[in-house]
Amino acid sequence: TALDGLFGHLESTPVKKPNVLAGLRTQLARVLSRSGEYRQAEVELRSALKLLFWRGAPRIRAIAMHELGSLALYQDEKTRAARSYRRALRICGARPDCRDEEAANLLGLAVVARGRLDGNDTVFWAGRALRTAVEIGDVHHETAAHRILAQAYKSLDRIDLCRLHLATGFRLAETHRLCGERIQILLCGAWLEFECIGLAEPVVADPIAAALEAWRAAKVLGDVFLLAEVEFCLVWFAVHGRDPVEADVGLHRLAAIVENGAPPRCAIWLSAGRAALAQRQGCADKAEGLYRTVFHLAGEFSLPWKVDASVGRGGALLQLGRTKDAERAFHLALKLSRRCGARCALAPGRSRR
């Protein structure tokens, strides 16, 4: 690539420029991680940190450490992600030129907390990030903070606050052309309205229209993770809207993304979508096996996926006449759902990002 040639030039010059080289490697790692090339992204980040060892450059070090955290998060390694974000915060310290990175790492810790289904902790970290971003006029992290707060309040069943933060975040994303944030806010809003339909609560927007708008924008942006997430959302809506043809088309698109090295949780989305479609089509035996796959693919903190898989498996077992096994699956789902809220079975994988 062009960056490879530039790296070669910088490394061969008589006067070394480690800060410049480390900064470029960090930016390359960002591109690689969003393309699903996690191993190479980590190589670039560790090379950047090695170049900066004993050389100061706290801002570049903080950015590289933050990216290591995000890389771990993409791979559902929440403990490692939190460790990297905290290290990045320590590097930032109280340095004025690192306040935006401070906000970024506070948001990273908020995302980890949300993945662990801790809504109150998510609100704490995202609230700190929002205050920091507003103080320094950092619109990108301010928008992200509103989105994460909306997601947290949704999990806490504070729909009024969820909608307030979604609306504020969407206005900021539209005004400042923050494409990735706009897609994620549209997606969060789509899931919210879908859940409200299932719970017979007031609905203020069409979830399918929002998801389609997010899909069109994700195609243009080219972020593999976002595209996979939107594809799964559309598949789920199609299955529950009794449109098996559209669901099958979406599953084929999602499978293509997974086969090209998407994040691990995309495989869960694919199996969950296939299981739901098989169950709708009366293929109970196939659905039961796929729900078992979803359950085992779900990580330690992916309780919503385990609940959804257990509910789906229970339904498939009932169709197969295996009543006792179905009762055990439903009992397990009930036990797990007490730990992740009432909406869990309506919106699969509430910790999905």
Side-chain angles (χ1 to χ4, degrees):
T1 65
L3 278 176
D4 288 331
L6 181 58
F7 291 153
H9 169 72
L10 287 169
E11 288 170 338
S12 64
T13 52
V15 179
K16 301 292 184 182
K17 300 178 181 178
N19 289 9
V20 175
L21 188 57
L24 287 169
R25 288 200 179 280
T26 300
Q27 296 306 315
L28 175 59
R30 281 179 166 173
V31 174
L32 290 168
S33 65
R34 282 154 181 75
S35 302
E37 298 179 53
Y38 302 121
R39 185 175 299 176
Q40 188 57 39
E42 184 165 354
V43 168
E44 297 296 342
L45 288 170
R46 296 203 178 279
S47 295
L49 288 167
K50 187 177 179 181
L51 281 165
L52 297 172
F53 195 64
W54 300 119
R55 286 191 173 92
R59 180 173 175 79
I60 301 175
R61 282 194 295 131
I63 292 171
M65 191 61 71
H66 173 84
E67 288 302 318
L68 271 180
S70 297
L71 191 60
L73 200 58
Y74 286 151
Q75 299 173 85
D76 285 329
E77 297 177 18
K78 297 178 182 67
T79 300
R80 190 160 69 94
R83 190 184 307 123
S84 293
Y85 290 140
R86 290 181 188 278
R87 285 176 178 168
L89 277 174
R90 285 196 295 272
I91 294 169
C92 291
R95 295 178 177 87
D97 65 328
C98 289
R99 293 298 305 283
D100 59 332
E101 283 306 309
E102 178 187 342
N105 286 289
L106 290 169
L107 284 175
L109 290 171
V111 174
V112 170
R114 190 169 71 85
R116 290 173 171 166
L117 306 176
D118 191 335
N120 291 317
D121 209 26
T122 306
V123 169
F124 171 77
W125 291 112
R128 281 188 59 184
L130 179 59
R131 288 191 293 276
T132 301
V134 170
E135 284 173 12
I136 62 175
D138 181 352
V139 178
H140 188 279
H141 289 127
E142 181 184 353
T143 306
H146 280 296
R147 169 177 54 80
I148 294 168
L149 282 166
Q151 293 165 333
Y153 283 123
K154 181 161 74 78
S155 70
L156 294 169
D157 290 331
R158 293 297 310 275
I159 304 307
D160 53 339
L161 289 174
C162 172
R163 286 198 169 112
L164 175 65
H165 283 288
L166 280 178
T168 305
F170 189 78
R171 282 197 300 272
L172 286 168
E174 286 269 270
T175 301
H176 298 279
R177 298 183 179 182
L178 303 175
C179 299
E181 285 299 331
R182 181 174 176 275
I183 293 165
Q184 292 179 80
I185 291 168
L186 282 168
L187 197 57
C188 182
W191 280 114
L192 172 65
E193 301 307 329
F194 175 76
E195 293 173 24
C196 287
I197 291 170
L199 292 171
E201 294 176 352
V203 176
V204 300
D206 179 0
I208 296 176
L212 283 171
E213 189 176 347
W215 181 81
R216 286 190 290 269
K219 289 283 285 183
V220 173
L221 187 63
D223 185 313
V224 66
F225 191 95
L226 275 181
L227 186 57
E229 190 170 11
V230 178
E231 290 286 13
F232 172 71
C233 179
L234 286 170
V235 165
W236 200 260
F237 290 179
V239 168
H240 290 273
R242 300 183 185 278
D243 189 345
V245 174
E246 187 59 37
D248 192 55
V249 169
L251 283 169
H252 276 89
R253 290 196 300 252
L254 183 55
I257 296 172
V258 171
E259 288 164 7
N260 286 328
R265 73 187 72 177
C266 295
I268 301 177
W269 296 339
L270 181 59
S271 293
R274 284 172 171 168
L277 181 59
Q279 193 167 15
R280 281 285 188 184
Q281 294 175 327
C283 304
D285 192 51
K286 179 181 177 182
E288 191 270 336
L290 285 165
Y291 280 127
R292 273 191 284 110
T293 298
V294 172
F295 190 93
H296 291 298
L297 284 173
E300 181 183 354
F301 299 110
S302 297
L303 287 178
W305 283 115
K306 290 181 182 287
V307 173
D308 187 68
S310 298
V311 170
R313 183 167 176 261
L317 288 166
L318 276 180
Q319 287 178 291
L320 293 168
R322 295 165 57 183
T323 308
K324 291 293 183 184
D325 289 336
E327 287 177 359
R328 280 192 286 270
F330 289 137
H331 178 75
L332 177 59
L334 183 61
K335 180 181 175 182
L336 294 173
S337 68
R338 293 193 181 106
R339 296 166 58 188
C340 55
R343 296 168 177 268
C344 203
L346 289 168
R350 291 174 63 88
S351 61
R352 56 188 176 276
R353 189 159 184 193

